[in-house]
Amino acid sequence: MTPGARLSAAIDILVDIFRSETPADRIFENWARASRYAGSKDRAAVSAIVYGVLRHKAELEHALGAPAHEVTPRLMAAGWLTLRAGEEADAVLALMTGEKHAPEPASEEEAAALKADALPGPDTAPHIRLNYPDWLQPEFEDAFGERLEPELAALMDRAPTDLRANTLKASREEALAALKEAGVEVEEGGLSPWSIRLLKKANLPALKPFRDGLVEIQDEGSQLACLLAGARPGEQAVDLCAGGGGKSLALAATMENHGQIFACDLEARRLKALMPRAQRAGCRNIQTMPLHPWVPGEADPDLTELTGRADLVLVDAPCSGTGAWRRSPDARWRLTTEKLAAYRAAQAEVLERAAPLVKPGGRLVYVTCSLLPSENEDRVAAFLAAHEGFAEEPWTKHWPEDLPRPASLSGIALRLSPATSGTDGFFVSILRRRA
């Protein structure tokens, strides 16, 4: 592909992303599969433009003239090359010839915008410089206070790829050795006792250690949430929002395949991926349970038999995903006040569904990959106000004494973030049901 064709492809992908609800990574993968002529360097170049625009959308729009005039995906893609990739405006305009799959020539207005563009200065509003919706400003101020700028800046970085050593099949040292033998550059993670961090990209599904179940892809923050859940051999555990089952697999390892894990989800389609993963990982104590919708106050159509039986109920609640913006930069622009309200309602409902399952003395562990207090502390406070039989316990009480503690933002719950702990953003609250 010529540089002009790469730019044109990036523009087309961005148009699709901004006009649909389909995640950006899926749109990009669809393009890559359909574009067999695009080599690895072509895909990397197109990806850099697409994800560069998504990470820096607000500052690009500001630099290129918004709100005075519309800043199109086409102009943002060209602007990313000049503002962030260091290309000269004339060189980028020279790519826009309309020939050999290149974008159509720039208009006078587009050319003027590219030549006049400049990154926002330090006095520009934080939501523009740090690229997030302005209506989230009060939430982020509440969450971070004086640390707002470094915390939000870290959300614009690319996220590393972390693996979890599956201790049902190998120690972390054995998994590391197997990966290195397969030619993968890796190192130990710094927080989770199971974490392995990739230093360079690798085709993991093609690797023997992955196919043999020695490792699973799982962010280190997610691993820490599973560690704090404290699942022990012989317990009865419910993973109420299991999805593809990554946390269920981690719980199975800490339980050493003894006891029972009920992996539940409203989307049976997502649960179907779990059992092949469990078989590969050597997990034998997981049972999947597709759920039906439930109306609070009525009998549970699926979980009545588990009432009061669970030592652990893990609620990995549906949320805004603000803690994972490094991995899904388009998600920050898809979030709306209406969607956030719907997430909060879903969180309250799933907590209500979880509470009856916890036996006296058992624990309900509430987890989100959100950084927003309205999805985290506020939800826990509302739950405790309605359920006097539960009490929140400090996360430090449950942290293994032989492991160094991760840096956590203030509060009784564990609060992880890219800037503070080097992980995705996670919130983990441990709620004990009184005996």
Side-chain angles (χ1 to χ4, degrees), residues 184-204:
V184 185
E185 294 190 34
V186 288
E187 66 179 7
E188 286 188 4
L191 300 173
S192 163
W194 319 305
S195 178
I196 296 172
R197 180 156 291 181
L198 265 64
L199 300 178
K200 286 188 177 180
K201 285 186 177 181
N203 183 11
L204 290 168

Side-chain angles (χ1 to χ4, degrees), residues 320-332:
S320 63
T322 46
W325 275 357
R326 296 184 304 171
R327 301 182 190 280
S328 304
D330 55 312
R332 66 183 67 206

